Amino acid sequence: QGSGVEIFVMSGEDAPPDFKHDRVRFFNCGPLNMSAKRNMGARVSQARYVAFIDSDAYPAGNWISSATKELDSDVEIGMVGGPELSPALEPLSERYVGLASRSALITGAHAFRKSVSPRRFFSEMSGCNLVMRRQEYLDIGGMDESLYIGEDNDLSRRVGLSGRKLLFSPDVVVYHRN
């Protein structure tokens, strides 16, 4: 594919019968956890980068290009993520959850990730908005498949211990349901 982008949907189910998209490959992985699905996708990919987003999120138009630009600009950056914004059109109850998530009283030191905030290095990236070089992801062992929650925190920790920096960029935006 001319763009060099591979899009994989790693699911526990078959693709819907009416699913037809020439740029998207659908994988029925069975009842695997998120870590195992992401690792499987990274192994079958031939792309230079892996980018993870959750099923209840969608990227801004420049999501991949902004993240790969950051990775290309500095070999010491091992992982890039960015804001996890509330979608514009969501039910009122979800909007309230999104507003609460922006408070340090609710999400602590991670509150900045819920809005467009300044570029900074940080110790943890969220798995719903995470981009890194594919080979580095594989070399570090990917996500720990024994973890059902906190796999992104564990991966962030191991990337940091490898000497790589974790960058929060305000330009690497996903819209994540609350």
Side-chain angles (χ1 to χ4, degrees), residues 34-40 42-43 50 52 79 130 132-147 150-159:
M34 186 74 72
S35 299
K37 289 177 182 177
R38 288 178 171 169
N39 290 345
M40 180 184 290
R43 284 191 302 268
V50 290
F52 302 114
M79 186 184 290
L130 188 159
M132 59 188 299
R133 293 173 196 88
R134 178 180 162 271
Q135 193 57 55
E136 289 181 12
Y137 178 83
L138 294 172
D139 289 348
I140 206 163
M143 292 192 175
D144 184 339
E145 295 182 16
S146 71
L147 298 176
E151 72 283 350
D152 46 3
N153 295 337
D154 175 70
L155 178 66
S156 295
R157 181 186 59 77
R158 289 185 287 120
V159 168

Side-chain angles (χ1 to χ4, degrees), residues 71-82:
L71 287 165
D72 289 342
S73 73
D74 185 348
V75 295
E76 292 185 19
I77 296 174
M79 186 184 290
V80 178

Side-chain angles (χ1 to χ4, degrees), residues 11-144:
S11 177
E13 302 173 5
D14 289 328
D18 60 344
F19 180 82
K20 291 177 181 35
H21 196 294
D22 61 341
R23 294 194 58 211
V24 179
R25 290 179 57 194
F26 203 100
F27 292 85
N28 180 344
C29 308
L32 299 176
N33 68 16
M34 186 74 72
S35 299
K37 289 177 182 177
R38 288 178 171 169
N39 290 345
M40 180 184 290
R43 284 191 302 268
V44 299
S45 175
Q46 297 301 307
R48 182 171 180 200
Y49 303 99
V50 290
F52 302 114
I53 191 166
D54 289 353
S55 61
D56 60 350
Y58 60 93
N62 63 343
W63 178 59
I64 294 289
S65 60
S66 295
T68 58
K69 180 181 173 184
E70 293 286 7
L71 287 165
D72 289 342
S73 73
D74 185 348
V75 295
E76 292 185 19
I77 296 174
M79 186 184 290
V80 178
E84 305 157 22
L85 305 179
S86 299
L89 302 174
E90 65 181 350
L92 190 57
S93 61
E94 291 181 21
R95 210 170 320 153
Y96 291 145
V97 171
L99 289 171
S101 296
R102 294 172 68 177
S103 168
L105 295 174
I106 303 297
T107 52
H110 302 117
F112 73 91
R113 295 193 314 209
K114 297 297 183 179
S115 60
V116 177
S117 58
R119 183 180 193 271
R120 68 184 83 188
F121 293 102
F122 194 62
S123 60
E124 293 178 5
M125 289 297 155
S126 171
C128 80
N129 184 2
L130 188 159
V131 183
M132 59 188 299
R133 293 173 196 88
R134 178 180 162 271
Q135 193 57 55
E136 289 181 12
Y137 178 83
L138 294 172
D139 289 348
I140 206 163
M143 292 192 175
D144 184 339

